Amino acid sequence: MICDNIKKLNNELYFADVKVTDLAKKYGTPLYIMDENKIRQKVNAYKNALKKYFGYDALTLYASKACSFKYIYKIMSEENIGIDIVSSGELYTAKAAGFNLANAYFHSNNKTDFDIKYGIENKVGYFVADNIEEINLIDEECKRLNTVQKVLLRVTPGIDTHTYEADKTGKVDSKFGTAIETGQAIEMVGNILKLNNIELCGFHCHVGSQVFEEDVYERTAVIMIKFFADVKEKYGFEAKIFDIGGGLGVRYIDNDKTLDIDKKIKELSECIKSECAKYKLSIPSFRMEPGRSIVADAGMTLYTVGSIKIIPGYKNYVSIDGGMTDNPRYALYRADYTCYTANKMDEISDFEADLVGRCCESGDIIKPKAIFPKSIKRDDIIAVATTGAYNYSMASNYNRIPRPAIVMIKDGKDFEVVKRESFENLIENDI
Ligand code: LLP
């Protein structure tokens, strides 16, 4: 099985120790199911490793763009970690869940005037500022409100990771952050330090998502700590916080590696400590912003099989009652997944077909060349694993298809945390 929370017993698939066909019957399909114990286990893997290798002031920030709804912010609040939010909508959701916004870090390469006002008024802990225009707007707004805002400056270290094109963010020509290589970042620090209503606390970078390369975080840290040193030399300013972003990869298919979070953080801490020693810098308070690696394998999507099409000499199709509206990742990135026929786990799978959705679009594919039991038929239940990250959060209403519910499983008990959208929801804003 692709993850240790997936098992089979008596021809049936179990997720987080619950028989998934029971959930499909009880809540209907398509359905997102999530494993709360797995989410907490992953949060704790980060928390413990950061504490062990960086000390008590290190902090994990859950990158909530991966999956954002009220209950998940409650989990993060109980786990006492911070959050990365990227829009006023995520801020609003976290606030509605009672999350303490002092522990929120507000990202985005283009915060609107509204975002800036809303963030400051709601006393968001930190802005992760992308560019000087934004910093000046924050400064002006703070002047008006007679307050001071803590800020991290997002810089681009010039690192090119081997991941989906859309998931690369650390290159010099990225739309995110300000480049170190061109000298713009260091110049900007000088300008920020002159502002009275901005407290520059440190620097942020994020090199990409679904990253597996051995040394990419160390290479990033080497560039970043050199930048910290250059800033200190030029302005006498020693940054207190270093936020290296998120991005650790997860296993979607058998060929993907499993990353050891503890080992990665240990190696990274050794690199940061030795780089800081080299430049005689004190070690900054460290932040990491994992999203995918906290929620991806804590999620699964259940579908009901509909029509099956066999085109002799060409190919076959198995159609399901969801598709690119609940999981656009194949359409966008050619992302691969592992899928199971949940009620036929003991049967031999040797029938090859594209697993496709119900949208009016040929690109509506969940997995090309998937393998099913020969007996696959209407009403069988398909489970697609590792869908906890960037599925619900990227879902749409294309073709006016309502978004599925999310059911959480905790200690063997299941409960809805997001209701299935209704047809009424679909026309709610139509005038
Ligand atoms: N921090 C920053 C500034 C980010 O931009 C991201 C992801 C993260 C943290 C979290 O990265 P993670 O640990 O989840 O890899 N929709 C794409 C992924 C986009 C990632 C955007 N930024 C996908 O489905 O693959």
Side-chain angles (χ1 to χ4, degrees):
M1 299 292 163
I2 199 69
C3 182
D4 60 6
N5 55 356
I6 306 175
K7 301 206 167 69
K8 70 169 182 154
L9 184 68
N10 300 330
N11 210 21
E12 289 279 344
L13 184 79
Y14 284 73
F15 181 71
D17 297 323
V18 175
K19 198 205 277 186
V20 303
T21 52
D22 286 348
L23 297 175
K25 242 178 256 152
K26 182 167 170 188
Y27 299 100
T29 59
L31 184 70
Y32 297 115
I33 54 178
M34 295 196 87
D35 174 357
E36 182 167 341
N37 295 351
K38 176 60 89 185
I39 298 174
R40 289 183 190 265
Q41 180 196 324
K42 290 300 197 62
V43 167
N44 278 285
Y46 276 98
K47 262 168 72 171
N48 295 337
L50 285 186
K51 199 191 301 165
K52 192 157 47 158
Y53 303 116
F54 284 97
Y56 282 91
D57 64 345
L59 188 64
T60 308
L61 314 176
Y62 166 59
S64 62
K65 69 206 79 179
C67 197
S68 170
F69 54 90
K70 275 166 65 181
Y71 189 85
I72 214 152
Y73 292 109
K74 285 195 187 132
I75 297 179
M76 302 311 158
S77 181
E78 283 172 20
E79 291 292 346
N80 226 347
I81 65 167
I83 51 168
D84 150 356
I85 51 172
V86 81
S87 72
S88 296
E90 285 183 356
L91 189 159
Y92 180 82
T93 312
K95 185 181 170 186
F99 191 89
N100 176 5
L101 295 174
N103 294 326
Y105 290 61
F106 198 161
H107 289 67
S108 170
N109 65 305
N110 182 24
K111 295 177 191 72
T112 62
D113 293 356
F114 176 83
D115 289 337
I116 290 171
K117 249 179 108 194
Y118 195 64
I120 296 170
E121 277 168 11
N122 280 291
K123 303 199 171 20
V124 78
Y126 295 82
F127 274 77
V128 180
D130 184 275
N131 53 67
I132 195 67
E133 223 174 294
E134 176 189 335
I135 302 244
N136 287 331
L137 288 168
I138 298 172
D139 186 56
E140 276 165 32
E141 186 61 22
C142 286
K143 229 172 253 153
R144 209 177 59 77
L145 296 171
N146 197 22
T147 172
V148 172
Q149 178 63 51
K150 288 191 182 127
V151 163
L152 302 183
L153 176 65
R154 178 168 183 167
V155 298
T156 31
I159 292 277
D160 189 1
T161 53
H162 300 126
T163 182
Y164 318 120
E165 202 45 47
D167 283 356
K168 295 180 179 185
T169 49
K171 295 193 296 179
V172 174
D173 61 359
S174 167
K175 79 163 177 171
F176 298 102
T178 301
I180 294 178
E181 192 184 298
T182 58
Q184 287 164 294
I186 198 153
E187 190 191 324
M188 196 184 295
V189 173
N191 293 328
I192 297 171
L193 291 172
K194 287 184 204 138
L195 301 172
N196 291 328
N197 297 71
I198 300 283
E199 180 188 347
L200 181 64
C201 298
F203 301 103
H204 168 279
C205 65
H206 171 76
V207 289
S209 194
Q210 186 62 355
V211 174
F212 280 103
E213 284 146 273
E214 277 301 314
D215 61 345
V216 71
Y217 289 94
E218 285 85 341
R219 285 193 286 127
T220 305
V222 166
I223 294 167
M224 290 295 286
I225 298 298
K226 161 92 171 55
F227 178 70
F228 278 53
D230 289 347
V231 165
K232 187 177 175 194
E233 194 185 309
K234 188 155 184 189
Y235 303 110
F237 169 78
E238 196 159 357
K240 288 198 278 290
I241 295 178
F242 175 18
D243 181 344
I244 203 165
L248 287 190
V250 303
R251 197 159 167 259
Y252 286 95
I253 52 169
D254 283 333
N255 281 343
D256 289 336
K257 283 184 279 187
T258 306
L259 285 186
D260 181 340
I261 293 169
D262 185 90
K263 184 166 166 273
K264 278 266 143 206
I265 294 178
K266 178 172 190 274
E267 289 164 359
L268 183 55
S269 79
E270 283 160 4
C271 168
I272 291 176
K273 284 172 191 164
S274 85
E275 289 303 302
C276 285
K278 185 160 123 194
Y279 298 109
K280 299 192 172 51
L281 290 174
S282 31
I283 296 157
S285 179
F286 190 63
R287 306 279 178 275
M288 253 183 136
E289 291 164 0
R292 188 191 311 269
S293 51
I294 286 184
V295 286
D297 52 19
M300 178 177 263
T301 312
L302 306 180
Y303 303 101
T304 303
V305 173
S307 64
I308 292 173
K309 189 167 285 176
I310 294 172
I311 313 174
Y314 288 87
K315 68 193 307 192
N316 308 317
Y317 290 98
V318 170
S319 307
I320 45 172
D321 55 355
M324 65 190 293
T325 44
D326 60 77
N327 182 358
R329 296 192 69 257
Y330 180 80
L332 284 171
Y333 321 116
R334 299 286 176 264
D336 207 352
Y337 283 95
T338 299
C339 61
Y340 305 97
T341 306
N343 54 319
K344 294 184 170 168
M345 291 301 290
D346 291 338
E347 291 186 29
I348 291 165
S349 288
D350 54 3
F351 174 68
E352 187 182 283
D354 284 8
L355 181 66
V356 298
R358 57 189 289 222
C359 292
C360 284
E361 174 157 340
S362 298
D364 177 19
I365 299 170
I366 295 292
K367 184 177 173 71
K369 296 192 170 156
I371 309 286
F372 303 93
K374 253 204 189 72
S375 70
I376 184 107
K377 60 166 183 40
R378 197 175 189 87
D379 294 336
D380 282 343
I381 300 294
I382 300 293
V384 178
T386 329
T387 58
Y390 304 111
N391 276 227
Y392 172 69
S393 63
M394 291 173 77
S396 76
N397 288 130
Y398 181 45
N399 293 171
R400 289 251 142 165
I401 293 173
R403 289 181 184 82
I406 304 179
V407 166
M408 192 63 74
I409 303 166
K410 186 183 188 188
D411 303 328
K413 294 205 173 58
D414 52 87
F415 50 97
E416 255 179 342
V417 286
V418 176
K419 281 195 287 192
R420 182 178 299 284
E421 278 179 347
S422 63
F423 291 146
E424 292 77 44
N425 291 149
L426 293 178
I427 59 163
E428 227 159 41
N429 293 335
D430 295 9
I431 292 164

